[in-house]
Amino acid sequence: MSGSKKKKITKAERLKLLQEEEERRLKEEEEARLKHEKEEMERLEMQRIEKEKWNQLEAKDLERRNEELEELRLLEGCFPEAEKLKQETRLLSQWEHYLQCDGSPDPSVAQEMNTFISLWKEKTNETFEEVIEKSKVVLNLIEKLKFILLEISPCDLQDKDIIQYKGSILQLQELLHLKFNVATEILLRQATTLADLDSGNMEKIIKDENVTLYVWANLKKNPRYRSVRFSETQIGFEIPRILATSDIALRLLHTHYDHVSTLHLVSTPSKEDTSSVTESVKDDVDNVKKTISKEAEEKSKQQEKGSHLIQEEEIKVEEEQGDIEVKMSSAEEESEAIKCELEMKVLSETILAAQLLLVENLSEKPEFFEDNMVDLCQFTTLGGIYHLDILELPPQCKRVKGWMIVEIRKEGLQKYTYPPETTEDLETENAFPPIEVTLEVHENVIFFEDPMVARWDAEGKHWRTDGISNVFYKPKERLVTFSLETFGPLTLIQDAHINMPYQSWELRPLDVNKVLLTVTTVFTEIQIQIKENLCMLSSIKLRDKKHVSILEGKWMTPIPFIIALKEAGLNIFPTRYSHFYVIINNKVREHLTEECTETPNWAILMFSGDRAQRLKITEDSEAFSEALKEETEFHSTLYHMLKDCASKEAMEKVRSSNCQFVNSVCHMLLSTRLLSYS
């Protein structure tokens, strides 16, 4: 028993153990303290070295900043050069138009436009086919006026010119629609002679590249004939009994353009809407213009003074006279060179103002007071306008003794009110039910989601979605069916920002002065080729399947190209209001690569507005850090940042790029705002 008992530790041994444990603890703490102090000293030393290196890089950056910015200004000289070429092209186009003498007016000259409009107003009894042919000239004039408003910088457009151009557009639009109404009336007067042998009613379809007319005249007034379907189409109406027994005609005038919406999409920024930055640029432009005048005046005085001195002297030797003429000529050349330089500066400031407007975000969102109003800053009309009208059947032509007699009413084509304003005489409340309408979506328009139907409110001058119900869309047949309470202009709308934000984008060189811009969104992949001053839609993929578009293979200048893409439903161009509807990326950073490979090694660059640097992080890094990559430096611009890693041959190609090509690429990048909306 005693042998199995544990040996008791004496008090002295216990104290010794505690002392050893305490000494061990103190030793560990001391080692930890020394290690921490060493690590802290190393960290502080690293920080000191990093800060010293950072300060050296900042100092080096500041030292060469002026030189780099001056080099950048020289490179930016391509923009005024491209603008001068644009101006020369516009002048040449005006001269060629003058030489053609084809009778069409110059849209920028008010007198010619007024004469053209007045002469067409006086012309009467035009058939629908004749109006369609004339509409091609009118639509071309409207397009030219819109391009003038969009292409020329607001700094270069006077208020009176803007008012004139917009006024001409509105007059042409109103007159064109009036002519279509008059031509419809002339067509309906012949309804009995054009009646279908089977149904006894008149049906007519007239198709053109810009307009399609569907018209049906109710001649038999058969109460059981309520389903109106135009031959070889599925377009039509389901009409109630009261219309089936009335002297009416149904007209669907599908214009493939939008002349109903206001000039919201082509309006130039007003002075109130223009940013303070742009206003300051305008002031700079005015100052430079004053400087030009001042310089020219001073040079003129110097030349006059010189000429007086020359007149006072008695010049006897012809060689001395030649020397003086050479001096005068060189003085004039110098004055002209200074004037040219200042004019280029004016042009540069104007271009800068236009570029700032492309990336401007307005601080206030447009207000809409009713839920059913369509916000044209958020939505866009697509596929043109469907003018749906119930018309009173005009008096028909009658043949009497070899003569065709027709009653012509002064009031012209009249609309049939449905439902009528007073319904007291009717027994049932359902005598005027909504009319079912089936429309065909334009073949050249892409809807990424089911289209919404909107009607035009003529009093409020806006689109509305109320009064329309039971909307059903068949994407394969491209047919939309809905019930409509009252007739009038209709359109299909889509979210203007459905392709924003972008999932990814790539700018890939194809050849000298030729690149391929690829923008990938949730629904589509759009490829755009850019060369010189032209852009072309290269291909479209919808859900990984290639889609054929009428725009593919057509080269256009940037602004018409952007308009064409928008009208086709391929909107990748934010506006000044888009940031209210899309979550944008406020960090100005992007991925660039030196070579195009299957598995590219991406380098991440950051530009904060006044400094460019290559970051240490990679695409796979968990957190963002502004730490600088080893053996790299700060630069004032991304251009100079890339110079550190690009070959001399590559940079030489950049410097020797065509000015129009650089301007076109810049315009597309500013218009798509890829950095902010990705």
Side-chain angles (χ1 to χ4, degrees), residues 433-439 450-453 465-474 479-485:
I435 298 173
E436 184 180 292
V437 181
T438 301
L439 301 177
D450 290 357
M452 294 180 283
V453 185
T465 55
D466 55 345
I468 301 167
S469 58
N470 303 324
V471 180
F472 180 71
Y473 179 57
K474 297 179 180 178
L479 296 173
V480 58
T481 303
F482 53 91
S483 297
L484 187 64
E485 293 180 5

Side-chain angles (χ1 to χ4, degrees), residues 180-390:
F180 278 134
N181 285 342
V182 173
T184 301
E185 182 185 8
I186 293 173
L187 181 63
L188 287 174
R189 287 179 196 155
Q190 308 168 33
T192 52
T193 59
L194 299 173
D196 181 68
L197 296 177
D198 296 330
S199 65
N201 296 317
M202 173 261 199
E203 177 190 308
K204 185 75 172 178
I205 300 175
I206 301 176
K207 287 190 176 184
D208 184 69
E209 57 182 322
N210 300 313
V211 178
T212 305
L213 173 71
Y214 303 89
V215 63
W216 176 82
N218 188 17
L219 301 174
K220 287 297 182 180
K221 296 184 282 295
N222 186 347
R224 291 179 294 180
Y225 195 89
R226 300 188 188 182
S227 182
V228 179
R229 286 288 178 274
F230 291 95
S231 58
E232 299 182 1
T233 73
Q234 297 187 53
I235 298 172
F237 312 89
E238 296 293 332
I239 60 176
R241 179 185 177 86
I242 189 168
L243 292 180
T245 56
S246 301
D247 285 325
I248 55 118
L250 298 176
R251 181 184 71 170
L252 166 57
L253 177 62
H254 181 198
T255 60
H256 304 167
Y257 48 82
D258 181 2
H259 285 179
V260 175
S261 302
T262 58
L263 285 174
H264 165 79
L265 296 177
V266 295
S267 61
T268 54
S270 63
K271 291 181 179 178
E272 292 78 10
D273 294 335
T274 309
S275 66
S276 58
V277 177
T278 309
E279 290 298 330
S280 66
V281 171
K282 287 184 178 181
D283 293 337
D284 291 342
V285 170
D286 293 336
N287 292 334
V288 174
K289 286 181 178 178
K290 289 177 183 177
T291 306
I292 291 174
S293 302
K294 189 176 179 181
E295 289 283 343
E297 187 177 347
E298 289 178 358
K299 288 292 179 182
S300 177
K301 287 180 179 179
Q302 290 177 5
Q303 289 178 7
E304 288 177 3
K305 186 177 179 181
S307 63
H308 286 310
L309 291 173
I310 291 169
Q311 289 174 2
E312 290 174 1
E313 296 178 357
E314 294 182 358
I315 304 171
K316 298 180 180 180
V317 185
E318 293 182 0
E319 292 181 0
E320 291 181 1
Q321 289 179 348
D323 292 339
I324 291 168
E325 289 177 2
V326 169
K327 289 179 181 179
M328 291 292 292
S329 177
S330 63
E332 290 177 1
E333 289 177 1
E334 184 181 351
S335 175
E336 190 66 28
I338 293 172
K339 185 179 178 181
C340 182
E341 182 181 346
L342 290 172
E343 285 177 348
M344 291 298 281
K345 186 176 180 182
V346 171
L347 206 53
S348 297
E349 298 288 355
T350 303
I351 292 165
L352 175 61
Q355 291 177 344
L356 288 173
L357 286 174
L358 287 175
V359 296
E360 184 181 33
N361 289 334
L362 292 188
S363 56
E364 294 184 4
K365 182 180 178 181
E367 294 184 359
F368 290 85
F369 302 100
E370 297 181 32
D371 294 337
N372 294 316
M373 288 173 58
V374 176
D375 179 1
L376 284 181
C377 295
Q378 182 180 4
F379 296 93
T380 182
T381 63
L382 285 180
I385 305 299
Y386 301 86
H387 297 267
L388 293 177
D389 296 298
I390 306 175

Side-chain angles (χ1 to χ4, degrees), residues 55-72:
N55 291 335
Q56 289 175 354
L57 290 174
E58 283 186 332
K60 190 174 181 180
D61 178 39
L62 289 172
E63 185 180 342
R64 65 188 175 198
R65 177 174 292 272
N66 291 334
E67 181 183 343
E68 288 186 348
L69 292 178
E70 183 61 31
E71 185 180 359
L72 183 66

Side-chain angles (χ1 to χ4, degrees), residues 167-178:
S168 297
I169 290 173
L170 288 173
Q171 287 185 67
L172 289 171
Q173 289 176 346
E174 291 171 358
L175 181 57
L176 180 59
H177 193 67
L178 175 65

Side-chain angles (χ1 to χ4, degrees), residues 627-639:
L628 190 68
K629 186 176 177 61
E630 297 83 357
E631 299 181 358
T632 62
E633 299 178 353
F634 296 137
H635 287 280
S636 304
T637 67
L638 282 173
Y639 167 77

Side-chain angles (χ1 to χ4, degrees), residues 63-88:
E63 185 180 342
R64 65 188 175 198
R65 177 174 292 272
N66 291 334
E67 181 183 343
E68 288 186 348
L69 292 178
E70 183 61 31
E71 185 180 359
L72 183 66
R73 277 191 286 270
L74 291 174
L75 290 171
E76 288 176 343
C78 65
F79 296 125
E81 287 179 18
E83 185 61 31
K84 285 195 73 174
L85 288 173
K86 280 186 190 178
Q87 293 174 357
E88 291 172 3

